[in-house]
Amino acid sequence: GAAHKWLSGMHMAAVEASIPIQMCMALPSDLMASLQLPSFTNFRASTDYGIKDRSLPFEKDDSNLNIGGSSLLGFALGLRPSKDSFWTHRPLSCRNSKPNPIECGRWTSQSNPGSNCELNAIVATLSTGPVSLGDKPKDTNET
């Protein structure tokens, strides 16, 4: 159907460009399709940050760190999971009581699940998938 055409089109474009593809929050059917489309090499196993939806039957306050269960199928299919991006440090402009909304969005350094730098770095590294930093340009802690 349409989903197979779409995934096949992405695969063919990736083959032509000699690049791998990461699936983002893929459904199990998408992961299964990767068996026929080898350009799909990894997938984001975590949700987006900040989900607080009491109607969800799973993880009503998702911390974005629990990727174990969602990684199982992907691992079995030879894919590598990853988690969402994170800050490498707590930006100074987000540490005060009135953070700059342009730089910090709705987050403070206390409420942003991506600001627990050390824990996020450990989970991202141990996931075996790509590690994605979410800092603004020229604001990455390189140490």
Side-chain angles (χ1 to χ4, degrees):
H4 181 73
K5 285 182 184 178
W6 179 67
L7 291 171
S8 294
M10 289 193 341
H11 166 71
M12 293 306 295
V15 168
E16 196 173 298
S18 298
I19 58 172
I21 294 177
Q22 175 177 349
M23 292 189 216
C24 183
M25 297 183 348
L27 296 172
S29 57
D30 298 327
L31 297 179
M32 294 296 290
S34 73
L35 291 171
Q36 296 177 322
L37 308 168
S39 62
F40 292 92
T41 60
N42 59 84
F43 68 103
R44 199 176 95 199
S46 69
T47 61
D48 288 328
Y49 281 115
I51 291 180
K52 290 186 186 254
D53 186 345
R54 300 285 178 223
S55 68
L56 294 175
F58 57 93
E59 305 217 34
K60 295 176 185 354
D61 290 308
D62 188 19
S63 71
N64 190 268
L65 296 169
N66 184 4
I67 63 170
S70 59
S71 298
L72 294 175
L73 177 59
F75 266 131
L77 299 174
L79 299 169
R80 294 293 170 240
S82 65
K83 67 170 293 308
D84 203 1
S85 62
F86 61 96
W87 291 348
T88 61
H89 66 100
R90 292 153 190 88
L92 183 60
S93 60
C94 302
R95 292 182 204 166
N96 57 35
S97 61
K98 293 186 178 182
N100 179 337
I102 294 172
E103 293 185 18
C104 306
R106 62 186 169 127
W107 305 112
T108 66
S109 64
Q110 308 310 312
S111 67
N112 182 346
S115 67
N116 185 336
C117 311
E118 296 80 9
L119 180 58
N120 276 278
I122 291 168
V123 173
T125 302
L126 293 176
S127 76
T128 73
V131 174
S132 176
L133 308 180
D135 301 313
K136 66 182 182 178
K138 299 181 182 177
D139 194 32
T140 299
N141 179 358
E142 298 173 2
T143 59

PDB file of all heavy atoms in Angstrom, residues 5 10 27 57 62 65 77-79 84 100 105 127 129-130 133 137:
ATOM      1  N   LYS A   5       5.058   2.102  -0.344  1.00  0.00           N
ATOM      2  CA  LYS A   5       5.589   2.973  -1.408  1.00  0.00           C
ATOM      3  C   LYS A   5       6.420   4.105  -0.805  1.00  0.00           C
ATOM      4  O   LYS A   5       7.488   4.446  -1.326  1.00  0.00           O
ATOM      5  CB  LYS A   5       4.447   3.555  -2.247  1.00  0.00           C
ATOM      6  CG  LYS A   5       3.818   2.578  -3.198  1.00  0.00           C
ATOM      7  CD  LYS A   5       2.731   3.262  -4.000  1.00  0.00           C
ATOM      8  CE  LYS A   5       2.014   2.274  -4.883  1.00  0.00           C
ATOM      9  NZ  LYS A   5       0.915   2.908  -5.628  1.00  0.00           N
ATOM     10  N   MET A  10      11.808   6.371   0.218  1.00  0.00           N
ATOM     11  CA  MET A  10      12.867   6.884   1.094  1.00  0.00           C
ATOM     12  C   MET A  10      14.103   5.999   0.994  1.00  0.00           C
ATOM     13  O   MET A  10      15.232   6.497   0.934  1.00  0.00           O
ATOM     14  CB  MET A  10      12.378   6.958   2.542  1.00  0.00           C
ATOM     15  CG  MET A  10      11.373   8.048   2.758  1.00  0.00           C
ATOM     16  SD  MET A  10      10.981   8.486   4.478  1.00  0.00           S
ATOM     17  CE  MET A  10      11.490   7.153   5.467  1.00  0.00           C
ATOM     18  N   LEU A  27       6.423   2.874  14.060  1.00  0.00           N
ATOM     19  CA  LEU A  27       5.482   1.825  14.458  1.00  0.00           C
ATOM     20  C   LEU A  27       6.142   0.463  14.260  1.00  0.00           C
ATOM     21  O   LEU A  27       7.080   0.329  13.464  1.00  0.00           O
ATOM     22  CB  LEU A  27       4.221   1.915  13.604  1.00  0.00           C
ATOM     23  CG  LEU A  27       3.395   3.189  13.754  1.00  0.00           C
ATOM     24  CD1 LEU A  27       2.286   3.215  12.705  1.00  0.00           C
ATOM     25  CD2 LEU A  27       2.819   3.283  15.149  1.00  0.00           C
ATOM     26  N   PRO A  57      -2.319   5.233  27.733  1.00  0.00           N
ATOM     27  CA  PRO A  57      -2.280   4.034  28.566  1.00  0.00           C
ATOM     28  C   PRO A  57      -0.867   3.673  29.024  1.00  0.00           C
ATOM     29  O   PRO A  57      -0.669   2.738  29.749  1.00  0.00           O
ATOM     30  CB  PRO A  57      -2.831   2.950  27.637  1.00  0.00           C
ATOM     31  CG  PRO A  57      -2.477   3.429  26.271  1.00  0.00           C
ATOM     32  CD  PRO A  57      -2.548   4.945  26.327  1.00  0.00           C
ATOM     33  N   ASP A  62       6.080  10.858  30.542  1.00  0.00           N
ATOM     34  CA  ASP A  62       7.239  10.223  29.931  1.00  0.00           C
ATOM     35  C   ASP A  62       8.517  10.994  30.214  1.00  0.00           C
ATOM     36  O   ASP A  62       8.615  12.174  29.930  1.00  0.00           O
ATOM     37  CB  ASP A  62       7.023  10.118  28.428  1.00  0.00           C
ATOM     38  CG  ASP A  62       8.106   9.299  27.756  1.00  0.00           C
ATOM     39  OD1 ASP A  62       8.784   8.538  28.459  1.00  0.00           O
ATOM     40  OD2 ASP A  62       8.257   9.419  26.547  1.00  0.00           O
ATOM     41  N   LEU A  65      13.593   8.774  28.944  1.00  0.00           N
ATOM     42  CA  LEU A  65      14.787   7.973  29.190  1.00  0.00           C
ATOM     43  C   LEU A  65      14.518   6.476  29.121  1.00  0.00           C
ATOM     44  O   LEU A  65      15.436   5.696  28.928  1.00  0.00           O
ATOM     45  CB  LEU A  65      15.370   8.315  30.569  1.00  0.00           C
ATOM     46  CG  LEU A  65      15.868   9.747  30.716  1.00  0.00           C
ATOM     47  CD1 LEU A  65      16.161  10.057  32.172  1.00  0.00           C
ATOM     48  CD2 LEU A  65      17.080   9.994  29.847  1.00  0.00           C
ATOM     49  N   LEU A  77      15.558  -7.029  15.110  1.00  0.00           N
ATOM     50  CA  LEU A  77      15.601  -6.864  13.653  1.00  0.00           C
ATOM     51  C   LEU A  77      16.939  -6.315  13.159  1.00  0.00           C
ATOM     52  O   LEU A  77      17.103  -6.058  11.970  1.00  0.00           O
ATOM     53  CB  LEU A  77      14.474  -5.930  13.204  1.00  0.00           C
ATOM     54  CG  LEU A  77      13.059  -6.415  13.507  1.00  0.00           C
ATOM     55  CD1 LEU A  77      12.041  -5.342  13.162  1.00  0.00           C
ATOM     56  CD2 LEU A  77      12.759  -7.704  12.760  1.00  0.00           C
ATOM     57  N   GLY A  78      17.896  -6.129  14.072  1.00  0.00           N
ATOM     58  CA  GLY A  78      19.210  -5.639  13.679  1.00  0.00           C
ATOM     59  C   GLY A  78      19.307  -4.123  13.584  1.00  0.00           C
ATOM     60  O   GLY A  78      20.271  -3.600  13.023  1.00  0.00           O
ATOM     61  N   LEU A  79      18.316  -3.413  14.130  1.00  0.00           N
ATOM     62  CA  LEU A  79      18.344  -1.950  14.141  1.00  0.00           C
ATOM     63  C   LEU A  79      18.914  -1.458  15.466  1.00  0.00           C
ATOM     64  O   LEU A  79      18.869  -2.170  16.468  1.00  0.00           O
ATOM     65  CB  LEU A  79      16.926  -1.396  13.966  1.00  0.00           C
ATOM     66  CG  LEU A  79      16.217  -1.758  12.668  1.00  0.00           C
ATOM     67  CD1 LEU A  79      14.748  -1.370  12.745  1.00  0.00           C
ATOM     68  CD2 LEU A  79      16.894  -1.077  11.484  1.00  0.00           C
ATOM     69  N   ASP A  84      15.845  10.758  22.178  1.00  0.00           N
ATOM     70  CA  ASP A  84      15.739  12.125  21.678  1.00  0.00           C
ATOM     71  C   ASP A  84      16.966  12.935  22.082  1.00  0.00           C
ATOM     72  O   ASP A  84      17.718  12.559  22.982  1.00  0.00           O
ATOM     73  CB  ASP A  84      14.458  12.760  22.238  1.00  0.00           C
ATOM     74  CG  ASP A  84      13.957  13.918  21.398  1.00  0.00           C
ATOM     75  OD1 ASP A  84      14.580  14.237  20.364  1.00  0.00           O
ATOM     76  OD2 ASP A  84      12.942  14.513  21.766  1.00  0.00           O
ATOM     77  N   ASN A 100      14.646  32.974  29.659  1.00  0.00           N
ATOM     78  CA  ASN A 100      14.378  33.611  28.376  1.00  0.00           C
ATOM     79  C   ASN A 100      13.567  32.649  27.512  1.00  0.00           C
ATOM     80  O   ASN A 100      14.075  31.607  27.104  1.00  0.00           O
ATOM     81  CB  ASN A 100      15.707  33.954  27.698  1.00  0.00           C
ATOM     82  CG  ASN A 100      15.531  34.609  26.351  1.00  0.00           C
ATOM     83  OD1 ASN A 100      14.508  34.457  25.696  1.00  0.00           O
ATOM     84  ND2 ASN A 100      16.546  35.338  25.939  1.00  0.00           N
ATOM     85  N   GLY A 105      12.368  28.124  25.532  1.00  0.00           N
ATOM     86  CA  GLY A 105      11.024  27.643  25.291  1.00  0.00           C
ATOM     87  C   GLY A 105      10.259  27.634  26.599  1.00  0.00           C
ATOM     88  O   GLY A 105      10.396  28.532  27.413  1.00  0.00           O
ATOM     89  N   SER A 127      22.481   3.337  24.417  1.00  0.00           N
ATOM     90  CA  SER A 127      21.422   2.901  23.500  1.00  0.00           C
ATOM     91  C   SER A 127      21.996   2.204  22.272  1.00  0.00           C
ATOM     92  O   SER A 127      21.302   1.441  21.623  1.00  0.00           O
ATOM     93  CB  SER A 127      20.581   4.095  23.048  1.00  0.00           C
ATOM     94  OG  SER A 127      21.282   4.870  22.083  1.00  0.00           O
ATOM     95  N   GLY A 129      22.646   3.544  19.519  1.00  0.00           N
ATOM     96  CA  GLY A 129      22.249   4.285  18.325  1.00  0.00           C
ATOM     97  C   GLY A 129      22.928   5.639  18.277  1.00  0.00           C
ATOM     98  O   GLY A 129      23.815   5.940  19.084  1.00  0.00           O
ATOM     99  N   PRO A 130      22.507   6.493  17.358  1.00  0.00           N
ATOM    100  CA  PRO A 130      23.093   7.831  17.256  1.00  0.00           C
ATOM    101  C   PRO A 130      22.847   8.646  18.526  1.00  0.00           C
ATOM    102  O   PRO A 130      21.810   8.514  19.161  1.00  0.00           O
ATOM    103  CB  PRO A 130      22.345   8.470  16.086  1.00  0.00           C
ATOM    104  CG  PRO A 130      21.718   7.342  15.346  1.00  0.00           C
ATOM    105  CD  PRO A 130      21.494   6.258  16.335  1.00  0.00           C
ATOM    106  N   LEU A 133      22.774  15.845  20.090  1.00  0.00           N
ATOM    107  CA  LEU A 133      22.867  16.971  21.007  1.00  0.00           C
ATOM    108  C   LEU A 133      21.873  18.045  20.590  1.00  0.00           C
ATOM    109  O   LEU A 133      21.717  18.330  19.408  1.00  0.00           O
ATOM    110  CB  LEU A 133      24.290  17.532  21.017  1.00  0.00           C
ATOM    111  CG  LEU A 133      25.393  16.503  21.272  1.00  0.00           C
ATOM    112  CD1 LEU A 133      26.756  17.169  21.261  1.00  0.00           C
ATOM    113  CD2 LEU A 133      25.158  15.764  22.574  1.00  0.00           C
ATOM    114  N   PRO A 137      23.556  26.486  18.321  1.00  0.00           N
ATOM    115  CA  PRO A 137      24.878  26.540  17.690  1.00  0.00           C
ATOM    116  C   PRO A 137      25.911  27.258  18.565  1.00  0.00           C
ATOM    117  O   PRO A 137      25.612  28.258  19.211  1.00  0.00           O
ATOM    118  CB  PRO A 137      24.634  27.321  16.399  1.00  0.00           C
ATOM    119  CG  PRO A 137      23.190  27.078  16.089  1.00  0.00           C
ATOM    120  CD  PRO A 137      22.508  26.987  17.434  1.00  0.00           C
TER     121      PRO A 137
END
